[in-house]
Amino acid sequence: MAHALSMFKDGTRASPVMQAVAHNLSDSDIHDLAQYFATQKPPLAHAAEPPQAAQVEAGRQLAQMGSGTGLAACFSCHAAGGTGNGARFPSIAGQPASFTVARLHEFQARAKSGAVKPGSMTAVAAQLTDTQIEAAAAYLSTLPR
Ligand code: HEC
């Protein structure tokens, strides 16, 4: 969270809403917010309809093993279970599927609008089909945070 807020603050991560919020945060505000949210234990968000089993299974394979077409496993960067790895790789577990789909579409839009850094999430998202995005989002929504 501290990493994400710092990126919004210095403009390296785009979001008109979050950049405006982060703009006025001091380094110690960012530290305190990250400490506070790290102690929270939010319940799993429940979608109106549970995801389909086949979609969840396809998403599990993608997350754990990647795809035959050279797509790296999501968990190779985001850690086993998608719980995140250090400051750079955020937790992706237990988010509502609609959030994950929206975020991945944002990365895809960014990939279309400029140079893509190899190994970045923008580069990963650019390789994903809509079917893969839906599957990954369905699976990740079933995982504990
Ligand atoms: C090569 C490493 C790498 C791989 C593989 C990878 N990611 Fe990421 N991912 C990142 C990085 C780095 C970020 C943080 C980027 C940022 O905040 O701008 C990120 C951010 C995200 C986010 C945004 C999280 C948030 O809270 O804003 C989602 C969602 C996500 N990844 C999903 C996935 C899925 C699904 C897969 C597998 C299909 C995947 N990632 C594979 C490196 C990776």
Side-chain angles (χ1 to χ4, degrees):
M1 174 163 292
H3 186 62
L5 288 173
S6 304
M7 287 170 82
F8 287 128
K9 186 177 177 181
D10 70 17
T12 47
R13 181 164 165 179
S15 166
V17 175
M18 279 310 300
Q19 281 174 346
V21 173
H23 180 73
N24 294 316
L25 297 176
S26 67
D27 287 350
S28 79
D29 291 336
I30 288 177
H31 173 83
D32 292 348
L33 284 164
Q35 290 290 321
Y36 169 71
F37 280 104
T39 64
Q40 301 304 300
K41 298 269 176 276
L44 264 188
H46 284 292
E49 294 190 17
Q52 291 168 13
Q55 211 176 29
V56 171
E57 174 55 20
R60 185 189 67 76
Q61 289 185 18
L62 197 61
Q64 295 183 354
M65 292 171 281
S67 82
T69 58
L71 186 71
C74 310
F75 292 171
S76 67
C77 288
H78 291 280
T83 51
N85 189 4
R88 193 166 164 240
F89 303 106
S91 166
I92 54 173
Q95 295 284 11
S98 57
F99 172 85
T100 303
V101 170
R103 290 292 289 125
L104 293 173
H105 285 161
E106 277 174 31
F107 285 115
Q108 288 188 325
R110 204 180 308 162
K112 284 200 189 110
S113 71
V116 175
K117 220 167 93 199
S120 67
M121 191 57 218
T122 309
V124 174
Q127 295 177 265
L128 292 172
T129 64
D130 278 347
T131 309
Q132 288 174 321
I133 287 179
E134 299 284 341
Y139 170 64
L140 293 171
S141 75
T142 67
L143 298 179
R145 291 190 223 209

